[in-house]
mmCIF file of all heavy atoms in Angstrom:
data_model
loop_
_atom_site.group_PDB
_atom_site.id
_atom_site.type_symbol
_atom_site.label_atom_id
_atom_site.label_comp_id
_atom_site.label_asym_id
_atom_site.label_seq_id
_atom_site.Cartn_x
_atom_site.Cartn_y
_atom_site.Cartn_z
ATOM 1 N N ALA A 1 107.996 116.121 78.547
ATOM 2 C CA ALA A 1 106.993 115.722 79.578
ATOM 3 C C ALA A 1 105.719 115.207 78.857
ATOM 4 O O ALA A 1 105.232 115.780 77.959
ATOM 5 C CB ALA A 1 106.659 116.811 80.515
ATOM 6 N N GLY A 2 105.215 114.066 79.339
ATOM 7 C CA GLY A 2 104.114 113.428 78.789
ATOM 8 C C GLY A 2 104.367 112.316 77.811
ATOM 9 O O GLY A 2 103.516 111.556 77.386
ATOM 10 N N GLY A 3 105.717 112.286 77.407
ATOM 11 C CA GLY A 3 106.091 111.230 76.404
ATOM 12 C C GLY A 3 106.408 109.936 77.174
ATOM 13 O O GLY A 3 106.159 109.727 78.245
ATOM 14 N N SER A 4 106.878 109.037 76.229
ATOM 15 C CA SER A 4 107.169 107.600 76.643
ATOM 16 C C SER A 4 108.531 107.184 76.180
ATOM 17 O O SER A 4 109.076 107.671 75.153
ATOM 18 C CB SER A 4 106.083 106.702 76.076
ATOM 19 O OG SER A 4 104.746 107.092 76.503
ATOM 20 N N LEU A 5 109.066 106.270 76.858
ATOM 21 C CA LEU A 5 110.266 105.559 76.570
ATOM 22 C C LEU A 5 110.181 104.115 77.056
ATOM 23 O O LEU A 5 109.460 103.832 78.009
ATOM 24 C CB LEU A 5 111.496 106.178 77.177
ATOM 25 C CG LEU A 5 112.021 107.512 76.691
ATOM 26 C CD1 LEU A 5 113.090 108.063 77.639
ATOM 27 C CD2 LEU A 5 112.452 107.415 75.245
ATOM 28 N N ARG A 6 110.818 103.224 76.340
ATOM 29 C CA ARG A 6 110.955 101.832 76.818
ATOM 30 C C ARG A 6 112.434 101.452 76.927
ATOM 31 O O ARG A 6 113.184 101.472 75.972
ATOM 32 C CB ARG A 6 110.251 100.879 75.801
ATOM 33 C CG ARG A 6 110.213 99.445 76.356
ATOM 34 C CD ARG A 6 109.474 98.462 75.440
ATOM 35 N NE ARG A 6 110.309 98.111 74.346
ATOM 36 C CZ ARG A 6 110.139 96.938 73.605
ATOM 37 N NH1 ARG A 6 109.099 96.120 73.896
ATOM 38 N NH2 ARG A 6 110.929 96.691 72.551
ATOM 39 N N LEU A 7 112.778 101.125 78.187
ATOM 40 C CA LEU A 7 114.075 100.645 78.443
ATOM 41 C C LEU A 7 114.164 99.170 78.317
ATOM 42 O O LEU A 7 113.262 98.436 78.610
ATOM 43 C CB LEU A 7 114.535 101.061 79.846
ATOM 44 C CG LEU A 7 114.355 102.532 80.248
ATOM 45 C CD1 LEU A 7 114.880 102.787 81.675
ATOM 46 C CD2 LEU A 7 115.186 103.435 79.255
ATOM 47 N N SER A 8 115.361 98.661 77.903
ATOM 48 C CA SER A 8 115.660 97.202 77.739
ATOM 49 C C SER A 8 116.845 96.908 78.477
ATOM 50 O O SER A 8 117.879 97.747 78.623
ATOM 51 C CB SER A 8 115.679 96.848 76.310
ATOM 52 O OG SER A 8 114.631 97.135 75.602
ATOM 53 N N CYS A 9 116.951 95.749 79.065
ATOM 54 C CA CYS A 9 118.067 95.238 79.728
ATOM 55 C C CYS A 9 118.268 93.785 79.342
ATOM 56 O O CYS A 9 117.381 92.960 79.512
ATOM 57 C CB CYS A 9 117.906 95.315 81.275
ATOM 58 S SG CYS A 9 119.209 94.500 82.182
ATOM 59 N N VAL A 10 119.393 93.542 78.724
ATOM 60 C CA VAL A 10 119.669 92.171 78.169
ATOM 61 C C VAL A 10 120.752 91.578 79.175
ATOM 62 O O VAL A 10 121.804 92.131 79.456
ATOM 63 C CB VAL A 10 120.325 92.223 76.815
ATOM 64 C CG1 VAL A 10 120.668 90.702 76.294
ATOM 65 C CG2 VAL A 10 119.306 92.838 75.819
ATOM 66 N N ALA A 11 120.452 90.411 79.568
ATOM 67 C CA ALA A 11 121.387 89.596 80.535
ATOM 68 C C ALA A 11 122.076 88.535 79.826
ATOM 69 O O ALA A 11 121.575 87.893 78.939
ATOM 70 C CB ALA A 11 120.497 89.019 81.663
ATOM 71 N N SER A 12 123.368 88.381 80.169
ATOM 72 C CA SER A 12 124.106 87.249 79.633
ATOM 73 C C SER A 12 125.038 86.667 80.667
ATOM 74 O O SER A 12 125.290 87.309 81.707
ATOM 75 C CB SER A 12 124.993 87.838 78.455
ATOM 76 O OG SER A 12 125.917 88.838 78.894
ATOM 77 N N GLY A 13 125.568 85.465 80.385
ATOM 78 C CA GLY A 13 126.442 84.851 81.165
ATOM 79 C C GLY A 13 125.835 83.731 82.137
ATOM 80 O O GLY A 13 126.601 82.799 82.617
ATOM 81 N N ARG A 14 124.593 83.867 82.492
ATOM 82 C CA ARG A 14 123.944 82.758 83.339
ATOM 83 C C ARG A 14 122.521 82.697 82.861
ATOM 84 O O ARG A 14 122.002 83.509 82.168
ATOM 85 C CB ARG A 14 123.957 83.295 84.827
ATOM 86 C CG ARG A 14 125.329 83.382 85.495
ATOM 87 C CD ARG A 14 125.865 82.034 85.733
ATOM 88 N NE ARG A 14 127.201 82.134 86.313
ATOM 89 C CZ ARG A 14 127.452 82.418 87.650
ATOM 90 N NH1 ARG A 14 126.486 82.712 88.505
ATOM 91 N NH2 ARG A 14 128.749 82.441 88.044
ATOM 92 N N PRO A 15 121.904 81.598 83.338
ATOM 93 C CA PRO A 15 120.395 81.421 82.988
ATOM 94 C C PRO A 15 119.679 82.642 83.509
ATOM 95 O O PRO A 15 119.867 83.141 84.663
ATOM 96 C CB PRO A 15 120.131 80.137 83.762
ATOM 97 C CG PRO A 15 121.359 79.392 83.801
ATOM 98 C CD PRO A 15 122.437 80.365 83.992
ATOM 99 N N PHE A 16 118.756 83.054 82.792
ATOM 100 C CA PHE A 16 118.055 84.370 83.022
ATOM 101 C C PHE A 16 116.732 84.094 83.745
ATOM 102 O O PHE A 16 116.288 84.907 84.587
ATOM 103 C CB PHE A 16 117.814 85.064 81.759
ATOM 104 C CG PHE A 16 116.929 86.320 81.804
ATOM 105 C CD1 PHE A 16 117.488 87.432 82.429
ATOM 106 C CD2 PHE A 16 115.651 86.285 81.391
ATOM 107 C CE1 PHE A 16 116.697 88.568 82.512
ATOM 108 C CE2 PHE A 16 114.894 87.382 81.520
ATOM 109 C CZ PHE A 16 115.336 88.585 82.060
ATOM 110 N N SER A 17 116.001 83.036 83.459
ATOM 111 C CA SER A 17 114.589 82.917 83.801
ATOM 112 C C SER A 17 114.468 82.902 85.392
ATOM 113 O O SER A 17 113.450 83.240 85.942
ATOM 114 C CB SER A 17 113.974 81.672 83.282
ATOM 115 O OG SER A 17 114.637 80.507 83.585
ATOM 116 N N GLY A 18 115.489 82.369 86.114
ATOM 117 C CA GLY A 18 115.343 82.209 87.625
ATOM 118 C C GLY A 18 115.771 83.486 88.256
ATOM 119 O O GLY A 18 115.701 83.496 89.518
ATOM 120 N N TYR A 19 116.100 84.514 87.666
ATOM 121 C CA TYR A 19 116.602 85.796 88.308
ATOM 122 C C TYR A 19 115.459 86.734 88.510
ATOM 123 O O TYR A 19 114.638 86.829 87.686
ATOM 124 C CB TYR A 19 117.667 86.449 87.431
ATOM 125 C CG TYR A 19 118.995 85.876 87.432
ATOM 126 C CD1 TYR A 19 119.198 84.553 86.914
ATOM 127 C CD2 TYR A 19 120.175 86.494 87.985
ATOM 128 C CE1 TYR A 19 120.497 83.973 87.000
ATOM 129 C CE2 TYR A 19 121.343 85.828 88.004
ATOM 130 C CZ TYR A 19 121.700 84.697 87.412
ATOM 131 O OH TYR A 19 122.860 84.116 87.410
ATOM 132 N N THR A 20 115.465 87.283 89.729
ATOM 133 C CA THR A 20 114.567 88.373 89.939
ATOM 134 C C THR A 20 115.257 89.647 89.310
ATOM 135 O O THR A 20 116.474 89.841 89.501
ATOM 136 C CB THR A 20 114.276 88.614 91.382
ATOM 137 O OG1 THR A 20 113.538 87.513 91.959
ATOM 138 C CG2 THR A 20 113.568 90.002 91.680
ATOM 139 N N MET A 21 114.544 90.464 88.600
ATOM 140 C CA MET A 21 115.130 91.514 87.931
ATOM 141 C C MET A 21 114.404 92.837 88.438
ATOM 142 O O MET A 21 113.226 92.820 88.812
ATOM 143 C CB MET A 21 114.906 91.466 86.421
ATOM 144 C CG MET A 21 115.333 90.207 85.790
ATOM 145 S SD MET A 21 117.216 90.088 85.882
ATOM 146 C CE MET A 21 117.648 91.453 84.794
ATOM 147 N N ALA A 22 115.187 93.861 88.350
ATOM 148 C CA ALA A 22 114.680 95.146 88.857
ATOM 149 C C ALA A 22 115.233 96.440 88.087
ATOM 150 O O ALA A 22 116.240 96.278 87.456
ATOM 151 C CB ALA A 22 115.014 95.360 90.362
ATOM 152 N N TRP A 23 114.598 97.478 88.253
ATOM 153 C CA TRP A 23 115.101 98.743 87.864
ATOM 154 C C TRP A 23 115.189 99.782 89.012
ATOM 155 O O TRP A 23 114.241 99.843 89.833
ATOM 156 C CB TRP A 23 114.095 99.297 86.851
ATOM 157 C CG TRP A 23 114.160 98.556 85.396
ATOM 158 C CD1 TRP A 23 113.219 97.665 84.975
ATOM 159 C CD2 TRP A 23 115.021 98.790 84.313
ATOM 160 N NE1 TRP A 23 113.620 97.281 83.799
ATOM 161 C CE2 TRP A 23 114.632 97.944 83.310
ATOM 162 C CE3 TRP A 23 116.159 99.684 84.178
ATOM 163 C CZ2 TRP A 23 115.338 97.845 82.093
ATOM 164 C CZ3 TRP A 23 116.813 99.592 82.949
ATOM 165 C CH2 TRP A 23 116.390 98.686 81.850
ATOM 166 N N PHE A 24 116.315 100.441 89.041
ATOM 167 C CA PHE A 24 116.574 101.413 90.046
ATOM 168 C C PHE A 24 116.939 102.787 89.158
ATOM 169 O O PHE A 24 117.242 102.714 88.002
ATOM 170 C CB PHE A 24 117.704 101.118 91.002
ATOM 171 C CG PHE A 24 117.331 100.094 91.992
ATOM 172 C CD1 PHE A 24 117.307 98.744 91.703
ATOM 173 C CD2 PHE A 24 117.110 100.404 93.312
ATOM 174 C CE1 PHE A 24 117.020 97.770 92.566
ATOM 175 C CE2 PHE A 24 116.722 99.459 94.229
ATOM 176 C CZ PHE A 24 116.770 98.096 93.994
ATOM 177 N N ARG A 25 116.785 103.843 89.827
ATOM 178 C CA ARG A 25 117.160 105.147 89.216
ATOM 179 C C ARG A 25 117.826 106.064 90.132
ATOM 180 O O ARG A 25 117.585 105.951 91.354
ATOM 181 C CB ARG A 25 116.024 105.799 88.458
ATOM 182 C CG ARG A 25 114.955 106.449 89.468
ATOM 183 C CD ARG A 25 113.798 106.873 88.749
ATOM 184 N NE ARG A 25 112.778 107.490 89.563
ATOM 185 C CZ ARG A 25 111.533 107.905 89.210
ATOM 186 N NH1 ARG A 25 111.206 107.780 87.925
ATOM 187 N NH2 ARG A 25 110.707 108.392 90.155
ATOM 188 N N GLN A 26 118.624 106.898 89.679
ATOM 189 C CA GLN A 26 119.255 107.879 90.528
ATOM 190 C C GLN A 26 119.221 109.272 89.858
ATOM 191 O O GLN A 26 119.765 109.493 88.826
ATOM 192 C CB GLN A 26 120.805 107.509 90.751
ATOM 193 C CG GLN A 26 121.469 108.461 91.736
ATOM 194 C CD GLN A 26 122.818 107.776 92.212
ATOM 195 O OE1 GLN A 26 123.411 107.114 91.479
ATOM 196 N NE2 GLN A 26 123.221 108.141 93.363
ATOM 197 N N ALA A 27 118.508 110.185 90.544
ATOM 198 C CA ALA A 27 118.350 111.498 90.015
ATOM 199 C C ALA A 27 119.566 112.338 90.485
ATOM 200 O O ALA A 27 120.144 112.013 91.533
ATOM 201 C CB ALA A 27 116.987 112.095 90.520
ATOM 202 N N PRO A 28 119.777 113.435 89.804
ATOM 203 C CA PRO A 28 120.954 114.367 90.304
ATOM 204 C C PRO A 28 120.730 114.728 91.687
ATOM 205 O O PRO A 28 119.609 115.301 92.034
ATOM 206 C CB PRO A 28 120.833 115.512 89.313
ATOM 207 C CG PRO A 28 120.235 114.905 88.134
ATOM 208 C CD PRO A 28 119.146 113.938 88.570
ATOM 209 N N GLY A 29 121.697 114.558 92.557
ATOM 210 C CA GLY A 29 121.685 114.981 93.876
ATOM 211 C C GLY A 29 120.914 114.147 94.821
ATOM 212 O O GLY A 29 120.750 114.473 95.995
ATOM 213 N N LYS A 30 120.450 112.935 94.368
ATOM 214 C CA LYS A 30 119.632 112.073 95.171
ATOM 215 C C LYS A 30 120.193 110.727 95.296
ATOM 216 O O LYS A 30 121.069 110.356 94.459
ATOM 217 C CB LYS A 30 118.220 111.965 94.709
ATOM 218 C CG LYS A 30 117.357 113.286 94.666
ATOM 219 C CD LYS A 30 115.944 113.034 94.255
ATOM 220 C CE LYS A 30 115.065 114.345 94.412
ATOM 221 N NZ LYS A 30 113.721 114.034 93.995
ATOM 222 N N GLU A 31 119.740 109.981 96.228
ATOM 223 C CA GLU A 31 120.152 108.565 96.355
ATOM 224 C C GLU A 31 119.506 107.725 95.342
ATOM 225 O O GLU A 31 118.434 108.096 94.773
ATOM 226 C CB GLU A 31 119.737 108.095 97.771
ATOM 227 C CG GLU A 31 120.413 108.787 98.941
ATOM 228 C CD GLU A 31 121.853 108.522 99.028
ATOM 229 O OE1 GLU A 31 122.285 107.323 98.756
ATOM 230 O OE2 GLU A 31 122.639 109.385 99.492
ATOM 231 N N ARG A 32 120.092 106.600 95.046
ATOM 232 C CA ARG A 32 119.538 105.715 94.132
ATOM 233 C C ARG A 32 118.217 105.114 94.766
ATOM 234 O O ARG A 32 118.137 104.749 95.866
ATOM 235 C CB ARG A 32 120.488 104.521 93.819
ATOM 236 C CG ARG A 32 120.024 103.500 92.776
ATOM 237 C CD ARG A 32 121.086 102.652 92.313
ATOM 238 N NE ARG A 32 121.692 101.887 93.451
ATOM 239 C CZ ARG A 32 122.798 101.124 93.318
ATOM 240 N NH1 ARG A 32 123.474 101.081 92.112
ATOM 241 N NH2 ARG A 32 123.191 100.412 94.373
ATOM 242 N N GLU A 33 117.196 105.046 94.041
ATOM 243 C CA GLU A 33 115.923 104.637 94.382
ATOM 244 C C GLU A 33 115.339 103.477 93.607
ATOM 245 O O GLU A 33 115.524 103.388 92.475
ATOM 246 C CB GLU A 33 114.976 105.806 94.538
ATOM 247 C CG GLU A 33 114.549 106.298 93.162
ATOM 248 C CD GLU A 33 113.431 107.432 93.290
ATOM 249 O OE1 GLU A 33 112.949 107.621 94.414
ATOM 250 O OE2 GLU A 33 113.176 108.063 92.292
ATOM 251 N N PHE A 34 114.523 102.675 94.209
ATOM 252 C CA PHE A 34 113.851 101.594 93.615
ATOM 253 C C PHE A 34 112.719 102.135 92.687
ATOM 254 O O PHE A 34 112.038 103.092 93.050
ATOM 255 C CB PHE A 34 113.194 100.661 94.702
ATOM 256 C CG PHE A 34 112.285 99.656 94.160
ATOM 257 C CD1 PHE A 34 112.830 98.475 93.597
ATOM 258 C CD2 PHE A 34 110.928 99.806 94.144
ATOM 259 C CE1 PHE A 34 112.037 97.511 93.065
ATOM 260 C CE2 PHE A 34 110.096 98.823 93.648
ATOM 261 C CZ PHE A 34 110.640 97.672 93.073
#
């Protein structure tokens, strides 16, 4: 707790710049959330 992380997501297969990108997460026992 109190620390930091940086997540990366690399896209391939199609042009990238025109895409809206997002991160979601799902905690144990919970629904996936924005």
Side-chain angles (χ1 to χ4, degrees):
S4 299
L5 287 172
R6 188 178 76 158
L7 306 183
S8 299
C9 173
V10 179
S12 63
R14 296 284 178 82
F16 174 76
S17 62
Y19 285 65
T20 295
M21 305 294 296
W23 290 95
F24 289 76
R25 68 186 181 189
Q26 187 168 25
K30 293 186 176 181
E31 299 287 331
R32 185 168 60 189
E33 66 175 353
F34 172 81

